[in-house]
Amino acid sequence: MQTTDGQIFLTMISPTAPHGLNVVRMRRQIEAQTPEVMALNDTNMGDPQTGLTKVPDLMVIAEEDTDDTANASTRATS
């Protein structure tokens, strides 16, 4: 499911085993080569500027951005 321009789009497809395997392989490579990031799959991601919500197959973000407690303590000391 995703939202675009205030409309909800739902696509009902089942990922295939080869697709899932490719996602896992990419995730492992990314995490092995860049330990400062997290590779997350099947995770809702909202864009605060556009309001769009998507569920990407694989999303890579800085590990510090996944921890609300770390973000709060960083803001408090800045």
Side-chain angles (χ1 to χ4, degrees), residues 22-38:
N22 286 335
V23 172
V24 168
R25 287 177 176 160
M26 288 176 59
R27 181 179 180 168
R28 288 178 182 163
Q29 287 181 18
I30 290 166
E31 289 179 335
Q33 295 174 22
T34 52
E36 70 278 2
V37 302
M38 294 288 297

Side-chain angles (χ1 to χ4, degrees), residues 32-73:
Q33 295 174 22
T34 52
E36 70 278 2
V37 302
M38 294 288 297
L40 307 171
N41 56 301
D42 299 323
T43 303
N44 288 349
M45 184 60 173
D47 183 332
Q49 292 182 337
T50 64
L52 301 178
T53 300
K54 305 208 184 237
V55 182
D57 293 328
L58 186 64
M59 175 175 55
V60 180
I61 59 176
E63 186 169 355
E64 64 193 35
D65 292 338
T66 64
D67 184 359
D68 291 337
T69 305
N71 289 339
S73 64

